[in-house]
C-alpha cells in the first residue's frame, strides 16, 4: 500500500511537470503575444488574465464539490489536462485578441483537475507528511515551468508563436494520458454533499477571508513581464525573468513544504505574504533596468 501511495504521488508529480512544460511555453511569451503580435492593449491583457483567474476559482470549487459528491476524482484530473491541451491549439489558431477569449476560458477551466488531485494526494498521506508531499508536487510543477520557459526562449525565434503553441499542447496531452492509464481509483459512492461553509471550522473560514484579501493585491505575472519589457529589455530577454521565478519556486517548494510540517502551515503562509508585500514595495522604486530588478524578482518568487 505504501509503495502505491509513493507511486501515485510521483505519477501526479510527473503529470504536473508535463503540463507545466506546455503551460509555461505559452506563459513566457503570452503578454508579448497578446499586446505586440495581436495588437491588444494592457486593458485587454488584464481582462483576459482576470477572466482566467475567475474561472480558476469557480471551476475549482465546482470540481471539488462534484468529486466529493460522486466519489470520482480521476476523471476531473485527466479531463483538466486535456482541456488545457486543446486550448493551446486554439491559441495557435487565434488571429485577434477576441479569438483568445473562449480558449483562455477553456485553458483555465482545465484547473478542474486541482482540487480532486490534491484531495487524492492528501488522502494518501499522513498529516505530518503532507507538506513534503505537496512540496514535491510543487517542485515538479515549477521544474516543468522552468523547462517550458527554456524551451520557449530557445524556440520562439525559430518556430514562431503558432508552432510554439502547437508544441505546447503535446505535454499536457501526455499528462492526460498518463493519469488515465497509470492511476487506479478506488470505487467511490455517491454522497449527499452540500456546498456550504457551515461544515467548515472557523480557521478555514478565516483563511478564505485572508486569501480573498490577498487576491485583491495580487497581480498577473503578465504585467510584470510587460513592465520589464518597458524598462528596455527585449522581447527575447524578458522570459528570463519568468525563468527566475520558476527556478526559485522549484528550489524552495520542497524545503518550505517540509518546513510547514515542522513549524506549522500558518507561519509559512505568513512569511510568504510578508515577502510578497516587501517585493511589491521594492518594485515601486525601480525605474531602470538595473541589478535590483533581478534581485527583487528572485525574492518575489518566494511567495
Amino acid at each position: 500500500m505504501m509503495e502505491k501511495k509513493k507511486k501515485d504521488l510521483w505519477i501526479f508529480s510527473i503529470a504536473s511537470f508535463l503540463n507545466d512544460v506546455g503551460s509555461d511555453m505559452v506563459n513566457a511569451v503570452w503578454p508579448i503575444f497578446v499586446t505586440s503580435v495581436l495588437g491588444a492593449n494592457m486593458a485587454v491583457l488584464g481582462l483576459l488574465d482576470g477572466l482566467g483567474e475567475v474561472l480558476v476559482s469557480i471551476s475549482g470549487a465546482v470540481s471539488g464539490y462534484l468529486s466529493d459528491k460522486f466519489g470520482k476524482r480521476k476523471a476531473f484530473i485527466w479531463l483538466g489536462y486535456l482541456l488545457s491541451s486543446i486550448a493551446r491549439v486554439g491559441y495557435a489558431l487565434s488571429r485577434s485578441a477576441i479569438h483568445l477569449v473562449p480558449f483562455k476560458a477553456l485553458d483555465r477551466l482545465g484547473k478542474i483537475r486541482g482540487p480532486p488531485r490534491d484531495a487524492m494526494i492528501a488522502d494518501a498521506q499522513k498529516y505530518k507528511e503532507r507538506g513534503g508531499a505537496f512540496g514535491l508536487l510543487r517542485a515538479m510543477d515549477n521544474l516543468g515551468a522552468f523547462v517550458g520557459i527554456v524551451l520557449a526562449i530557445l524556440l520562439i525565434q525559430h518556430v514562431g508563436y503558432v508552432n510554439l503553441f502547437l508544441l505546447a499542447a503535446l505535454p499536457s496531452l501526455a499528462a492526460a494520458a498518463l493519469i488515465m492509464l497509470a492511476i487506479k481509483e478506488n470505487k467511490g459512492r455517491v454522497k449527499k454533499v452540500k456546498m456550504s461553509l457551515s461544515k467548515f471550522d472557523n480557521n478555514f473560514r478565516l483563511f478564505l477571508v485572508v486569501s480573498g484579501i490577498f487576491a485583491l493585491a495580487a497581480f498577473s505575472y503578465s504585467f510584470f513581464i510587460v513592465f520589464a519589457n518597458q524598462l528596455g529589455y527585449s522581447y527575447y530577454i524578458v522570459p528570463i525573468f519568468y525563468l527566475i521565478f520558476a527556478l526559485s519556486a522549484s528550489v524552495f517548494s520542497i524545503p518550505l513544504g517540509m518546513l510547514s510540517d515542522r513549524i506549522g502551515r500558518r507561519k509559512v503562509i505568513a512569511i510568504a505574504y510578508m515577502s510578497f508585500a516587501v517585493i511589491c514595495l521594492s518594485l515601486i522604486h525601480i525605474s531602470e533596468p538595473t541589478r535590483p530588478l533581478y534581485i527583487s524578482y528572485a525574492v518575489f518568487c518566494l511567495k
Side-chain angles (χ1 to χ4, degrees), residues 158-211:
H158 304 289
V159 304
Y161 289 95
V162 172
N163 290 328
L164 182 69
F165 292 165
L166 290 175
L167 289 172
L170 298 178
S172 289
L173 188 61
L178 180 63
I179 296 298
M180 288 181 66
L181 298 174
I183 293 294
K184 305 299 181 184
E185 183 177 23
N186 295 327
K187 289 185 178 182
R189 59 186 181 84
V190 177
K191 307 174 185 177
K192 290 185 177 180
V193 180
K194 183 171 65 173
M195 186 178 286
S196 171
L197 289 177
S198 61
K199 61 182 179 180
F200 299 112
D201 62 22
N202 290 332
N203 277 338
F204 183 75
R205 296 175 192 173
L206 180 59
F207 176 72
L208 289 181
V209 173
V210 172
S211 297

Side-chain angles (χ1 to χ4, degrees), residues 221-233:
Y221 298 131
S222 294
F223 289 118
F224 188 91
I225 293 174
V226 174
F227 173 62
N229 179 237
Q230 291 175 343
L231 289 179
Y233 293 98

